[in-house]
Each structure stands twice: as C-alpha cells, then as structure tokens.
Amino acid sequence: MGYLLTLVEFFAGIVAAVFIFNIVVMIRLPARVRKAELLFEHDDVGEAFHIVEKVLQRRKGFIPAMYLKAKILKRQRQYILAIAEVNDILKNGDFGRFVSELDLHYLLADLYARQHLFHKELEEYRIIMKLSPNDVTANHAIGLHMYKQKKYRESRDMLIRALAGDSKLTDTFLPIGIASYNLSEYGKAEEFLLKAIDSQTAPSAEAYYHLGMIYKMKKDTENAIRMFEFTKRDPEYALNGALRIGEIYFEREMYQQAIEVLEGNISWIRQREDASIAYRYLLAECYEMENMIKEAVHHWEKIQSERPNYKSTQM
C-alpha cells in the first residue's frame, strides 16, 4: 500500500512539474515575441524569424507571433506566405486582443499591392473604409481608382475627405478639379485646377485645357487663350487646344487670326477622328468667311472623304 502511494505521488509530481513548466513557457512567450520584435526593428531578421518559429512550435496560433511572422515574411519579400499568415490571423476570432483589424487590413492591402493584385488591394481598402469611413489612405486609394473609372461624384467626395485628413496629398488636386468640372461645379474645378498647376513642376496639359474651357464659358477670352496655348506641349491636348482658340477667334469674327492658329497646328490632325473633323470644318468656315473659297473647298473635300454627309460639306 505504501509503495502504491509513493508511485501515485511520483506521477502526480511529474504532472505538476509539466503543468508548471508549461505555465512558465506560456508566460515567457510574450517576452520572446517582444525580443523578436526588437531584433526585427534592428534588422536582425533571421534571428527574429528563428525565435518566432520556436514560439509557434510551442504555441500554435499565438497571434502576436503570427503577426510578426507576417511582417518578417513581407520584409523577406515572401508576399504570398505573408498574405496566408495574415488571413489565418483573421480567421481567429480572438485576434482583436492582440492586433487591430485595421492594421491587418492595411498590411494585406500593402501585400496585395506588392503582388500587383490591385483589385484585392482595393477590396482591403473598402473593408478599411467600412471600419473607418474617414480613413485617409483608403479614401485616397479608392478615390483615385474611382476617378480612373470616371465615377466623378464618388471620386471627388473621397478625395476631398482624404485631403481634409492630409493636406500633403497634392496628387488629389487634378482629379478633384477634373471631377468637379464634369459635375458642372466650375468654381471648385477652377480652384483645384489652379492648385494642381501650382503644385506641379511640369503642370498637366489636362489642367490647362479644362481651365481654358472654364474661362471660355465665362467669356474671359484672354485667360482662355493663355490656358489653351499651354496645351501645345502635350500631343493629347494640342489639337483640341488649338481648336478652342480658333473657336474663340471665330466667335469674335477674327477669322484671319483663327486661320493662323489652325493652320499653324494642322500637323496634329489625325484621320477620321472627331476632333480632327471638327478642326477642318472650322478652318473651312474661316476660309469661307474670308472669301478664300478654294481653300475652304479643299478642307470640305477632305472632310467628305473621311466623313460623308458631315454637317453641310456635301459637294
């Protein structure tokens, strides 16, 4: 009987020792992760990763270690593995005790961007906006994306929110200006287009062109012409800029000046394009008004060969 009692006590001691050992290990795990974090911050990535792996062997699913592992994998450019690690954290309903959901989605957005999975990056920013509607980074990223899709109202609202949170986001000026122009909010458009020009070392011809259109509508012809002149540096806007200057001179019955501008930029004409057809038609009208019928007919014939029945060009 005494022998049995001694044996029971022996095994009970072993169980107790193992239990205490495990408690000590669990208590030490956060300290080990903190040590790994310090090593990571000092660029000793290899040793930090070794410690994290040891911690996860001891306690699988330990969120602080998993989060640090994801950041280490990102530093090592192992983006797919890092993405998998973060998604595993999000599957754990208890992660909020250790890391914020916003930080996890920020990390995922960055990882998807590095993998050029931009649609997934935007999904993460949409999640971030649900968690924090005024988040600067999310509003900025999605606002620029919406602008490229020509969703001007949503784009303008998001980019204005982003700019309110960070005044250094000067890349929002042009999209806000163009979006406002397309929403017929010309006062706001002018304000932000001017900001876009002031903030750029080589201002966009797009900004100058739309400012020219605003001044043309306001009958501020001097400033309109000045803005359109600046578009000549960009092949995408040079033709339309010259066309608008020609229109201004035509409306003022300054036909010779219109001809000089239009002939001076005629090299930008491209066959069958709408703007090029309109360009030739205006030039032909100017020649007609100056009683230069031969030149007018030349351009009407060109138009008819490319776009039969365009306006009154039927011969």
Side-chain angles (χ1 to χ4, degrees), residues 179-192:
S180 299
Y181 177 90
N182 282 282
L183 293 168
S184 302
E185 298 174 354
Y186 301 119
K188 187 177 288 293
E190 181 181 0
E191 175 191 350
F192 279 94

Side-chain angles (χ1 to χ4, degrees), residues 232 242 257-268 279 283:
K232 291 179 181 178
Q257 290 92 327
I259 290 169
E260 288 174 11
V261 170
L262 295 171
E263 285 288 5
N265 292 278
I266 202 166
S267 61
W268 293 112
Y279 193 98
L283 184 53

Side-chain angles (χ1 to χ4, degrees), residues 247-301:
E247 288 173 346
I248 290 170
Y249 284 135
F250 185 86
E251 289 164 5
R252 297 171 71 183
E253 300 183 0
M254 300 168 68
Y255 306 119
Q256 192 57 48
Q257 290 92 327
I259 290 169
E260 288 174 11
V261 170
L262 295 171
E263 285 288 5
N265 292 278
I266 202 166
S267 61
W268 293 112
I269 280 184
R270 299 293 177 265
Q271 269 196 329
R272 303 185 189 282
E273 289 186 1
D274 290 346
S276 295
I277 299 292
Y279 193 98
R280 276 197 187 279
Y281 187 83
L282 178 62
L283 184 53
E285 283 193 308
C286 290
Y287 277 126
E288 184 184 23
M289 298 304 292
E290 286 288 288
N291 204 31
M292 300 171 72
I293 305 304
K294 180 182 176 182
E295 290 82 356
V297 169
H298 166 74
H299 288 289
W300 282 328
E301 286 175 341

Side-chain angles (χ1 to χ4, degrees), residues 66-117:
M66 292 176 72
Y67 183 51
L68 181 55
K69 181 180 178 181
K71 292 194 288 185
I72 292 171
L73 289 168
K74 174 188 162 184
R75 180 79 63 85
Q76 294 174 332
R77 299 185 180 180
Q78 299 187 60
Y79 304 130
I80 298 294
L81 293 176
I83 288 167
E85 200 71 28
V86 178
N87 280 319
D88 283 343
I89 294 172
L90 286 166
K91 291 173 187 173
N92 187 318
D94 201 31
F95 68 82
R97 290 174 51 204
F98 304 99
V99 59
S100 82
E101 189 172 357
L102 275 174
D103 287 342
L104 291 172
H105 288 294
Y106 265 127
L107 180 53
L108 270 178
D110 185 38
L111 290 166
Y112 285 132
R114 290 167 188 266
Q115 279 293 105
H116 304 291
L117 297 169

